Amino acid sequence: MQSLKNHFLLAMPQLEDPNFAGSLSYLCDYDDNGTMGVIVNRPMEITLDALFDQLELGGDMPHHGDAPVYFGGPVHKDRGFILHRGSSADWDSSIQVTEGIALTTSLDMLQALAEGRGPSQFLVCLGCAGWEAGQLEDELKENSWLTVEGNADILFSVPPEQRLQAAAGALGVDLTLMSREAGHS
């Protein structure tokens, strides 16, 4: 199977797992060991300012302080994952997903954001989503998910409540018209 790195994973209407129902995940890593990504359409009640206060990071983030923190998934829920435009080279613990998108998990990125530095386009997520080797492929065969190539504009420019349908639209699909019943031929 081709790599699903830099792909969206769209939950099908029949997927009832409360962690993933109605979710849009962005897959950041895909290899023989499994798959890792973050859910990008589930803003939490906490803002970046509140998170920075909790972490005692200080700083002043005038343009983004009221931005939401996202529920990134049920794995490592106490850990931050920052999906952002730009390079991974500038941060302590970061992977380059595509030429223009990176995922960073280090505190230096949060400190930079708290101080108004760092990338201008980013999503801060608590937790991530992970699948063991072969698990996601099995779920795809069960019609739990649709996949489509990732799109930075959907990630960073579309409001969170519209991201799932925007990704589905890239496939020419309207999820509201799909049945909750899956079929196999």
Side-chain angles (χ1 to χ4, degrees), residues 95-108:
I95 62 169
Q96 199 69 45
V97 181
T98 69
E99 186 176 315
I101 299 174
L103 181 73
T104 300
T105 60
S106 52
L107 191 58
D108 64 327

Side-chain angles (χ1 to χ4, degrees), residues 16 18 31 34 48 64-65 70 76-77 80 84 93 99 109 116 119 155 157 179:
E16 295 180 358
D31 60 25
L48 286 178
H64 301 293
Y70 291 81
H76 304 297
K77 291 190 285 190
H84 59 93
S93 181
E99 186 176 315
M109 166 71 85
L155 283 172
S157 299
S179 170

Side-chain angles (χ1 to χ4, degrees), residues 77-89:
K77 291 190 285 190
D78 60 340
R79 190 168 174 194
F81 295 82
I82 303 114
L83 190 63
H84 59 93
R85 285 198 189 250
S87 172
S88 63

Side-chain angles (χ1 to χ4, degrees), residues 3-87:
S3 175
L4 292 175
K5 182 177 181 177
N6 184 41
H7 277 70
F8 287 124
L9 195 61
L10 296 76
M12 292 291 285
Q14 71 270 13
L15 183 61
E16 295 180 358
D17 178 331
N19 290 309
F20 294 104
S23 71
L24 177 67
S25 299
Y26 179 72
L27 301 180
C28 301
D29 198 14
Y30 182 91
D31 60 25
D32 293 338
N33 298 315
T35 307
M36 181 271 187
V38 290
I39 297 172
V40 296
N41 67 331
R42 293 245 181 101
M44 300 169 65
E45 295 294 320
I46 187 171
T47 64
L48 286 178
D49 276 340
L51 179 65
F52 296 149
D53 286 345
Q54 283 182 356
L55 297 174
E56 299 178 355
L57 291 177
D60 180 28
M61 195 172 178
H63 301 329
H64 301 293
D66 61 348
V69 174
Y70 291 81
F71 170 73
V75 180
H76 304 297
K77 291 190 285 190
D78 60 340
R79 190 168 174 194
F81 295 82
I82 303 114
L83 190 63
H84 59 93
R85 285 198 189 250
S87 172

Side-chain angles (χ1 to χ4, degrees), residues 101-125:
I101 299 174
L103 181 73
T104 300
T105 60
S106 52
L107 191 58
D108 64 327
M109 166 71 85
L110 284 176
Q111 184 66 55
L113 291 174
E115 295 170 357
R117 299 180 294 113
S120 61
Q121 293 187 309
F122 60 89
L123 301 175
V124 175
C125 304

